[in-house]
Amino acid sequence: MSELREKLLEAYREGNFLQTAVESVEENSNDAIETIVTLHNDGHIDLIEQFKSLRNCRDSGVDFFLARDLLERSLPRMKAPIQHVMECVAHITKEAGQMANAIFTPFVDFCVAGPLRPEQGLEIIKGSPAQFMDFIVSIIVAGTRIDMDQYFLVAIRLTSHEDIEIRKRATFSLGQIQYTGHQELSVKALEQLKRLIDEEADDHLLSNAINSICNISMADHSLIDEWETALDKALVKGGDYSIYAASEAFGFHIDKIPEVMLNVIIRHLPRMNSTNKGTVKNIDYGVHKLLKRDDPTQGIEFLEAFLLAHAEDFSLKALNIVVHGIPRSDNKLLNKLLTRWFLKGDRVLCEGICAIVNAVHDKEMHLEIDIEELPCSDLNHLIFLSRKTIGYLLSKPITAASVIISLIRQATDPNTLKEVGTLLFDPLLLYFSGSLHDFLSTRSSNEAGQTKEVIQSALNTFDAYLEDLKSIGDIPEMYPSQDQREALSRHFNQMMSKSYKEAMKSSILNLICTKTVILYGKTSINYIQGLSGQSQRMEIPMKSHEMKFEYPRQEHIDPFGFYYMLHIFRVERLVKA
């Protein structure tokens, strides 16, 4: 301990204290923190001044976020004038940017450790509100831990302050106070929030009121009907900030928020601005949790209404967690969505199914129709679902075929069987004759009855089609010239290059790897520094890798007919009687 103490004091005298302190904490966390706090409290160093000079830049010589972590862990036990601490915390939050709020939690603990600090902090804010108003919430929260009644009244009083910025923060503070054992104060908070919602028009203030309403209602269900009314009124009156506040409760507290409050939020969230990425991300979290419930009906209905409300400016692809989370569960949920959304036929819903299926890269999914979502098994419904499946899932022929096979099982008359079964041959086998042919051959041997007969009939028809093609012989006019093949190859390579560049824009590889172009070589050589400090030579043999995919053959022969068919299958709708 004495050796560490001398090391830190020497670094302080030489002007590189923070760098040495951060390294010491990494080596021996608890002892280093204890030593640093003791040195500060005994007056040997001024830790606050050291952090006031900290900069969030590469050439500072100190890892900013490790140093900030050191301050967060030290602050609650430090002795220092509160104004100096507030100046230091304000500097650190400014340097931290978007990741600034974490420092306020240890600042609250610092204030609680000195009973006079909250009162002193309020006086400092009163003297320099523009500089220190961001401390209002932390000081009120700390004060309520010391004297609940006094500092709750401070919060209530500040919600009526002439400066709207102070009113905003005081409104937010009402939701951060812990009301356990003080139910009468939560009732007063409700009355004050209702008044603010009626009188205020600022969207940011209303969003803070929504945040407070959600937080208090999660802890106190006694006046749930009044909380529900207040939340609904605030959301009706509010704009983008208010919707964002509701989306935070939806995304992060969906399992805690009362059901009636959740219903209010769900009713208003479709009003969100689709360009607000933070709101979209919160909705992504919330929908994912709703769909993971034992009964996902609420999540399905909300997601459906949300997509339909933004059919022209939004895609399910933006809900990344939902898109990748659905295939990780069993296929029951995806089967339900596929059946339900393909029957509705709306483009945004059907493209959503396509996005979910395409999110699985390692293998094609085997999906089925959900009978509970199928109103009847007549010719119109089964053919419509088959054509929708082909229209949106043709790039996944095995998945599309598995859905059509499940439809064949539901057919109750020969005409329907024939019509649905024909689609296995044309367009599926005509377009994809490789892996799909193997899949259908395997499925035919595993099926029985009419399903086996229809699959085998499609395979026999395809085999006869190939024999007919071979019987014609070679037709020179049907073969493209060398120039035409080369032109097509160049065009295809350009398309693939463009697609690769677009995919790499959002790839995590860009964040964790550097790109190096090697003109020739068989082995990559790197030198890695070991624990002993010596470099070790690492040789990594280069290996090739490949990916295969089947191209729809008819796209070469009749591209216009190919895309016209897809367009028709996608846009057609069921006519309701």
Side-chain angles (χ1 to χ4, degrees), residues 101-268:
N101 291 333
I103 190 66
F104 283 101
T105 299
F107 175 75
V108 170
D109 295 333
F110 169 80
C111 292
V112 172
L116 298 179
R117 288 172 181 170
E119 186 174 349
Q120 293 168 352
L122 288 175
E123 289 299 318
I124 293 169
I125 295 171
K126 185 177 179 181
S128 303
Q131 182 179 0
F132 295 115
M133 68 171 61
D134 285 337
F135 289 87
I136 289 174
V137 176
S138 299
I139 287 176
I140 288 176
V141 170
T144 56
R145 296 185 189 177
I146 299 169
D147 189 330
M148 181 67 169
D149 293 331
Q150 177 185 344
Y151 285 92
F152 175 78
L153 290 178
V154 169
I156 293 294
R157 187 175 70 251
L158 291 179
T159 58
S160 301
H161 197 277
E162 60 183 14
D163 187 338
I164 190 172
E165 295 301 323
I166 291 179
R167 295 205 303 274
K168 290 177 185 178
R169 289 156 178 79
T171 301
F172 186 81
S173 72
L174 290 175
Q176 304 305 307
I177 297 171
Q178 299 298 317
Y179 293 94
T180 306
H182 298 274
Q183 185 178 357
E184 73 284 357
L185 296 185
S186 68
V187 174
K188 292 180 180 179
L190 169 61
E191 295 303 318
Q192 188 69 0
L193 288 168
K194 288 165 65 176
R195 182 191 67 78
L196 289 167
I197 292 169
D198 289 335
E199 296 178 1
E200 297 285 356
D202 182 83
D203 189 27
H204 204 160
L205 190 149
L206 289 171
S207 73
N208 288 346
I210 289 169
N211 185 287
S212 294
I213 288 170
C214 292
N215 285 342
I216 301 174
S217 66
M218 283 188 284
D220 181 7
H221 297 180
S222 61
L223 299 172
I224 195 64
D225 292 338
E226 292 193 49
W227 289 118
E228 176 192 7
T229 302
L231 176 63
D232 184 63
K233 186 178 291 187
L235 283 169
V236 168
K237 195 173 182 180
D240 287 348
Y241 282 117
S242 297
I243 294 296
Y244 176 77
S247 75
E248 280 193 312
F250 179 74
F252 297 104
H253 305 297
I254 196 168
D255 296 326
K256 299 178 182 178
I257 195 165
E259 196 68 22
V260 292
M261 305 286 282
L262 178 60
N263 291 336
V264 172
I265 292 173
I266 284 176
R267 191 164 64 247
H268 286 278

